[in-house]
Amino acid sequence: MTIPLLICDDSNMARKQVAKALPAGWDVEITFATNGLEGIQAIRDGKGEMVFLDLTMPEMDGYQVLEAVKNEGLDAMIIVISGDIQPDAYTRVTKMGAMEFIQKPVSPEKLQEVLRKFGLI
């Protein structure tokens, strides 16, 4: 079954890099969002069952997206992919419902390791 996958990052290069790091043959339908407002709307529209979310974005940041998902009771599995690697960022996003936190730039190996950990591939 195809998984609706949302890659939400304000950097075009980062969005492309994450898409290239996805496991070959993983059955996903990718949607891209350039900021948190686009991202939360895509999740509301059913395009983000699985979400790779940046933290630092214009309009609405990743923390605000996590908060909106939680407050609205939206069904989304969220993995944060960010350059903000401070320990408090990791603790904060996991408390807010993120499944995992991966440092940018993400390697295909690390991404596959995390997806396997949660039984997603």
Side-chain angles (χ1 to χ4, degrees), residues 36-109:
L37 284 177
E38 288 178 10
I40 195 67
Q41 190 57 55
I43 295 168
R44 288 176 184 137
D45 293 343
K47 296 178 181 177
E49 189 175 302
M50 178 84 238
V51 181
F52 295 127
L53 179 67
D54 185 26
L55 291 179
T56 309
M57 296 180 289
E59 309 292 327
M60 183 181 201
D61 68 21
Y63 295 109
Q64 292 168 309
V65 171
L66 284 164
E67 190 174 335
V69 166
K70 188 175 183 178
N71 290 344
E72 294 179 32
L74 298 171
D75 191 21
M77 297 177 284
I78 301 174
I79 295 174
V80 170
I81 299 178
S82 179
D84 182 1
I85 56 165
Q86 300 170 41
D88 61 324
Y90 174 83
T91 302
R92 185 173 172 198
V93 300
T94 52
K95 281 183 179 175
M96 295 178 81
M99 297 168 59
E100 189 61 81
F101 189 112
I102 303 173
Q103 182 179 352
K104 279 183 184 179
V106 64
S107 71
E109 296 79 20

Side-chain angles (χ1 to χ4, degrees), residues 12-52:
N12 184 46
M13 187 171 72
R15 289 191 305 272
K16 287 180 179 178
Q17 194 271 327
V18 171
K20 285 183 181 179
L22 297 176
W26 194 30
D27 191 11
V28 293
E29 183 175 325
I30 301 172
T31 299
F32 295 106
T34 62
N35 62 56
L37 284 177
E38 288 178 10
I40 195 67
Q41 190 57 55
I43 295 168
R44 288 176 184 137
D45 293 343
K47 296 178 181 177
E49 189 175 302
M50 178 84 238
V51 181
F52 295 127

